[in-house]
Amino acid sequence: MNRQVRHNVRGRSAIAMLVLGAAMFSHGVVVRDADANPTPPPTPGNAPGNANPIAGDATQVSRSYDGYVWARIGVRSLRDLQVCEQLGQMASCRGGVGVEVDYIFSPEAFDALRQTDIPFIIVHHDVGRLLRDERTEIERRDSLRGLTFFENYRPLAEIHSYIQQLAADNPNLASTFTLGTSPGADGVQYNLPGIRISSPDLPGNPRSARPQIFFNGCQHAREWVSPATVTYIADQLLEQYATNPRVRAVLDNVEFLIVPVVNPEGYVHSWTTDRLWRKNRRNNGDGTRGVDLNRNWGFQWGLNSGSSAATNSETYRGTAAFSEVETQRLRDFITANTRIRAHIDYHSFSQLILSPWGYVAATPTDNSVFAELNPQMSSAIGGVALQTYRAGPAGATLYLASGIAPDWAFGSRGIWSWTIELRDAGQFGFVLPPDQILPTGRENFAGMLVLGEYVAQPFRFSFPDGLPASGQAGTPQTIRVNITDNNRGVIDPATARVLFRTSANSPFQSAAMTQTGPGQFTATLPAFSCSTNVTYYFEAGSTDGRLARYPSQAARGLSTSLLTRTTTGSEVEVFFDSFETNRGWSYGVSGDTAPRGIWQRCDPEPTTAQPGDDFSPAGTVAAITDCRGGAAGDGDVDAGVTTLLSPAIDARPPRGYAASEMFVRYARWYSNDRGGAPNADSMPVEISGDNGATWVQLESVTENLNAWSVKTFRISDFVTPTAQLRLRFVARDLATGSVVEAGVDDVRVFALGCPCFADFNSDGAVDFFDYLDFVGAFDTEAPGADFNADGAVDFFDYLDFVTAYNIGCD
Ligand code: 0X9
Ligand code: ZN
């Protein structure tokens, strides 16, 4: 039905299309190639002018989208998606249930959509008009005097001659190369030229040894800003080499390989015939055309989640991995150039930076480079014209797509590889006005420079224990750092250091790292006072004077390029019981069913299942399920449960620590693997915030350490830390014949936070009510008014309180 509808529309607007076609020819937008090259298709290797747009397919007419509606669908269900797939053509980089997806509908299909209850908004009422307006604007710009290359969209031949010219103008820095040719379905041999850019040889640093970065544009024909952007990047690398020290430093250490159009036949088709064409032009032999090149790569190729086996689909993956000449040429090129370390495949639209994986909603096992660079590229791009480019793993951030270029590059070749979706965020989509080419190019030049600087730098950093997000007040913190060669890096160990500061206005201070082995260092952050926010980064220099940093853009003032660490207070104890005295625990409660092995407070005698000593360093007593020794099964829990129940504990944050987190910690012993029916039982440990009315499980102990083990829990993860907190340990022998021995010692409740004594009423805020409360306490000489804790309530308490109050707390 869909096809039928489209056919009718095509028939109805044939005249309009002829007019449009004639207009195109007479204005010379497309025809320039054909004029220059009117007869047979050019031969392989003949880069510019190789695109004869109308050769080989006499039946082509420009496809009209007159009256077609571009709508943004709120896809609520798979059913909504199926209906839209039936009726329209996806015009979106986003897809899936629960998100907005753009579709283009013929007038008839749009009527049908309106009959459904599927929610949508109209983005453009008449796509045909949008495309005509675009064409008019391109032609108007073409007729302007003094228009620069990047102020207009350019047909294939112009892009190719432009990179030829760039190379010719910059012979020391640039040369062209080709991936070979790709025979078009239209009979034209399309060349796949690219440009190679790097500084001339330097002493000890020949071009031929530098790591390479590969950029390609235009896997998808209609995404015109993509080839424009990568051509702009080539242009600006050459343009800025002499004046921009960052560009020069990158070109001194990296070689760029840039191929603007990897789907040339599709690109030409989008100029001459169907502006919204996506795939290549493969004749599928069933009346349909085109394979989606970005579903044809040989890594996780062929998954139905993320590609289609249907030839008429926009994401048709082809008959086999690398079935298409275009992807074969790319594969062979990447495989042959073993120095390629990084790659970006530029697309439009949606403003996204997408790292692997695309075929699954997961990150690779080693995601470190992507985790470091994604946010830095995003903020570098955002810093140029305040455009948001969200960054993340492709499958999880956007939608699943299998057989895509970056998955193959990273998964099969270990190349750090991204998809970047360029402008815009959905207003014009693929039909991005030409005045946005330059801004898109500029912001993406800044983004790719982050990658260039990363590949150029002499070292990579890694952290075997991870990076701390917090540290304790008053205690220096040591971090293990591994520094390995990234690009000809020979480390000068004296230069390895950590830099830190505690306020954005103060300069960074630094501390030298200590070398502990080859490529192994430790960095130590000094002690900070409670609640200090520390920002820091790492740096190391090579013997040839180059610096590497982690995060790599740390010195460039990007907010995403500094590590942060908060400083927490030390533990402030509010309850501690080592069981040396009787603090009111219940050793067995009513309702318990075990006849033997009941909890006791005692100095335990050893068995193979029971400790011979308590846990406390000083002291001898613990809570134990029957302290008697002997054989393993002597005095163990038998035939039921026995409960150790705490008294009510005041677990509220202490005065001055209202904003703290409260924790409970205990040492416990558990053994259930020493006799018959081993591992058949478990010991629930539960917590109550309401004096035992209701209980929440902290843990269910099954590990048979046959040793004391210390456990810590944040109370608020389970219950509110109230004045009536209770704990219970339920030792059970439910399986017949198993040996169960349990013990508990050194139960502690403590606060972790930064003291805030000015918060006199302990409501978590320092405000005028604290002042009133203090003055009230002071006037009545209440004990709390002894603010400096010197035993007397006097004027010095008042002064100290006012000082603390004026400083306030974070
Ligand atoms: O679908 C694609 O190939 C890319 N989007 S586009 O609209 N330019 O065609 C995105 C591929 C990124 N990878 C995943 N989404 N998994
Ligand atoms: Zn694309």
Side-chain angles (χ1 to χ4, degrees):
M1 135 92 180
N2 192 20
R3 316 212 131 265
Q4 191 60 43
V5 167
R6 283 200 181 137
H7 239 93
N8 292 343
V9 171
R10 207 168 274 183
R12 277 194 301 145
S13 45
I15 292 172
M17 283 181 288
L18 282 177
V19 172
L20 177 61
M24 279 162 40
F25 278 74
S26 62
H27 285 82
V29 172
V30 173
V31 175
R32 197 169 294 138
D33 288 346
D35 282 348
N37 214 340
T39 32
T43 47
N46 176 6
N50 66 1
N52 185 339
I54 51 168
D57 194 344
T59 63
Q60 287 181 359
V61 287
S62 286
R63 176 168 177 190
S64 162
Y65 288 88
D66 283 347
Y68 277 53
V69 176
W70 173 350
R72 186 157 297 157
I73 312 290
V75 178
R76 304 159 302 176
S77 63
L78 209 56
R79 170 95 192 115
D80 285 358
L81 204 59
Q82 282 161 349
V83 171
C84 291
E85 285 290 322
Q86 274 285 313
L87 290 175
Q89 171 187 345
M90 205 202 273
S92 191
C93 302
R94 298 164 277 194
V97 175
V99 292
E100 292 183 325
V101 185
D102 290 6
Y103 279 89
I104 290 175
F105 299 95
S106 70
E108 292 79 359
F110 186 64
D111 283 344
L113 176 76
R114 279 223 276 244
Q115 305 304 311
T116 72
D117 67 342
I118 296 176
F120 64 86
I121 56 163
I122 294 175
V123 183
H124 289 282
H125 284 93
D126 183 350
V127 177
R129 174 148 168 226
L130 182 72
L131 299 180
R132 276 196 307 281
D133 287 352
E134 179 192 48
R135 183 68 64 164
T136 306
E137 175 63 7
I138 289 172
E139 289 170 5
R140 187 188 70 81
R141 285 178 170 246
D142 257 355
S143 70
L144 295 177
R145 220 181 288 258
L147 196 81
T148 63
F149 188 79
F150 299 105
E151 288 174 288
N152 210 354
Y153 289 109
R154 303 293 173 179
L156 184 69
E158 289 188 25
I159 294 175
H160 285 173
S161 17
Y162 195 80
I163 59 170
Q164 294 277 352
Q165 195 59 48
L166 281 179
D169 292 346
N170 299 275
N172 293 333
L173 301 173
S175 58
T176 54
F177 61 90
T178 176
L179 307 195
T181 57
S182 149
D186 57 7
V188 176
Q189 288 289 342
Y190 289 92
N191 191 16
L192 295 164
I195 184 165
R196 172 194 307 272
I197 303 172
S198 191
S199 303
D201 287 350
L202 292 165
N205 173 14
R207 287 180 74 133
S208 60
R210 293 175 192 158
Q212 295 168 320
I213 299 178
F214 174 42
F215 298 143
N216 74 269
C218 209
Q219 280 207 81
H220 291 144
R222 63 192 171 191
E223 299 165 10
W224 286 5
V225 76
S226 148
T229 299
V230 297
T231 309
Y232 179 81
I233 289 170
D235 182 89
Q236 288 302 300
L237 284 170
L238 295 166
E239 170 82 19
Q240 297 186 31
Y241 172 74
T243 54
N244 184 339
R246 289 181 66 190
V247 171
R248 188 181 194 117
V250 169
L251 287 177
D252 283 350
N253 292 289
V254 169
E255 182 168 73
F256 288 90
L257 304 166
I258 299 174
V259 179
V261 182
V262 298
N263 176 9
E265 193 184 11
Y267 187 62
V268 167
H269 189 73
S270 74
W271 276 81
T272 60
T273 311
D274 181 350
R275 172 65 184 87
L276 296 179
W277 189 256
R278 166 183 168 97
K279 303 186 279 184
N280 75 356
R281 292 291 298 155
R282 146 93 62 191
N283 186 342
N284 294 322
D286 60 356
T288 71
R289 289 287 199 138
V291 169
D292 183 356
L293 296 179
N294 205 28
R295 297 295 182 278
N296 190 240
W297 294 70
F299 184 84
Q300 297 289 339
W301 178 88
L303 303 183
N304 285 328
S305 55
S307 71
S308 174
T311 55
N312 66 349
S313 166
E314 290 282 48
T315 55
Y316 174 47
R317 59 185 170 236
T319 51
F322 292 119
S323 59
E324 302 312 292
V325 178
E326 295 90 338
T327 47
Q328 289 166 21
R329 295 281 180 268
L330 281 160
R331 172 199 62 193
D332 295 347
F333 173 76
I334 293 170
T335 308
N337 286 281
T338 54
R339 287 182 285 124
I340 296 178
R341 298 282 295 280
H343 164 243
I344 300 177
D345 178 24
Y346 285 92
H347 288 249
S348 73
F349 60 98
S350 279
Q351 302 184 184
L352 296 165
I353 299 164
L354 302 169
S355 53
W357 301 113
Y359 76 96
V360 65
T363 50
T365 316
D366 183 359
N367 192 50
S368 56
V369 173
F370 303 115
E372 186 190 342
L373 291 187
N374 282 0
Q376 296 192 96
M377 286 201 278
S378 174
S379 55
I381 291 174
V384 174
L386 305 186
Q387 290 297 307
T388 302
Y389 281 59
R390 208 149 49 87
T397 306
L398 190 54
Y399 48 77
L400 299 186
S402 64
I404 67 169
D407 278 6
W408 180 83
F410 185 67
S412 297
R413 306 291 312 169
I415 294 166
W416 307 316
S417 183
W418 287 261
T419 305
I420 288 188
E421 299 278 7
L422 300 165
R423 288 196 189 188
D424 57 12
Q427 188 183 357
F428 293 101
F430 305 119
V431 197
L432 187 71
D435 62 4
Q436 293 203 41
I437 299 170
L438 268 172
T440 305
R442 287 195 192 104
E443 64 203 11
N444 279 280
F445 190 80
M448 77 85 214
L449 202 53
V450 167
L451 177 60
E453 289 180 328
Y454 183 80
V455 173
Q457 69 175 4
F459 308 113
R460 289 183 68 188
F461 297 78
S462 60
F463 308 94
D465 310 318
L467 286 168
S470 67
Q472 264 211 357
T475 315
Q477 189 169 33
T478 296
I479 303 162
R480 288 206 290 150
V481 184
N482 290 350
I483 304 176
T484 49
D485 178 25
N486 181 65
N487 184 8
R488 295 181 296 107
V490 178
I491 196 160
D492 172 1
T495 61
R497 56 187 189 147
V498 59
L499 295 96
F500 53 87
R501 68 180 179 195
T502 55
S503 124
N505 307 317
S506 54
F508 280 96
Q509 295 174 275
S510 73
M513 292 192 214
T514 307
Q515 186 152 20
T516 56
Q520 296 178 335
F521 294 80
T522 56
T524 301
L525 291 169
F528 295 101
S529 59
C530 208
S531 170
T532 307
N533 288 320
V534 184
T535 51
Y536 65 106
Y537 66 95
F538 303 91
E539 186 179 273
S542 60
T543 50
D544 65 356
R546 291 175 297 148
L547 282 178
R549 300 187 175 94
Y550 185 96
S552 53
Q553 297 290 309
R556 303 236 163 264
L558 299 180
S559 60
T560 48
S561 299
L562 292 171
L563 305 165
T564 58
R565 194 204 76 147
T566 59
T567 316
T568 59
S570 43
E571 297 175 7
V572 180
E573 195 172 280
V574 299
F575 175 86
F576 179 65
D577 190 355
S578 61
F579 293 91
E580 300 300 322
T581 58
N582 186 353
R583 300 279 305 269
W585 291 71
S586 306
Y587 298 87
V589 300
S590 72
D592 279 358
T593 50
R596 286 174 298 280
I598 310 304
W599 286 99
Q600 282 185 286
R601 199 177 64 82
C602 59
D603 181 2
E605 293 165 20
T607 72
T608 55
Q610 178 166 293
D613 202 355
D614 74 336
F615 175 74
S616 320
T620 54
V621 179
I624 301 285
T625 50
D626 195 327
C627 294
R628 282 170 292 178
D634 288 356
D636 79 316
V637 182
D638 276 338
V641 308
T642 175
T643 303
L644 174 68
L645 174 69
S646 79
I649 298 167
D650 186 348
R652 291 172 302 174
R655 173 171 284 265
Y657 287 84
S660 303
E661 298 277 11
M662 300 302 296
F663 294 83
V664 59
R665 177 180 294 155
Y666 50 79
R668 49 122 164 110
W669 177 288
Y670 186 70
S671 173
N672 180 218
D673 63 350
R674 287 295 194 255
N679 303 311
D681 284 304
S682 64
M683 176 171 72
V685 182
E686 294 169 329
I687 190 166
S688 169
D690 53 15
N691 205 18
T694 56
W695 292 93
V696 175
Q697 184 167 292
L698 280 179
E699 62 167 339
S700 173
V701 187
T702 52
E703 51 178 359
N704 298 292
L705 292 173
N706 288 292
W708 290 103
S709 171
V710 176
K711 296 286 159 186
T712 306
F713 300 90
R714 186 167 67 173
I715 295 172
S716 61
D717 290 342
F718 303 90
V719 297
T720 305
T722 62
Q724 298 200 306
L725 191 88
R726 278 176 183 258
L727 295 168
R728 71 182 182 193
F729 299 79
V730 187
R732 339 187 266 193
D733 176 26
L734 302 179
T736 41
S738 73
V739 172
V740 175
E741 287 286 10
V744 174
D745 204 1
D746 286 15
V747 176
R748 187 188 312 264
V749 177
F750 61 91
L752 197 58
C754 295
C756 177
F757 294 109
D759 179 14
F760 195 76
N761 62 10
S762 291
D763 67 353
V766 176
D767 53 24
F768 192 64
F769 296 106
D770 296 303
Y771 183 82
L772 290 183
D773 279 13
F774 176 77
V775 170
F778 187 78
D779 286 347
T780 59
E781 294 189 30
D786 180 11
F787 198 74
N788 61 11
D790 66 353
V793 175
D794 54 21
F795 189 64
F796 296 107
D797 296 304
Y798 183 81
L799 286 185
D800 280 6
F801 174 78
V802 170
T803 304
Y805 181 81
N806 284 336
I807 293 170
C809 302
D810 285 336

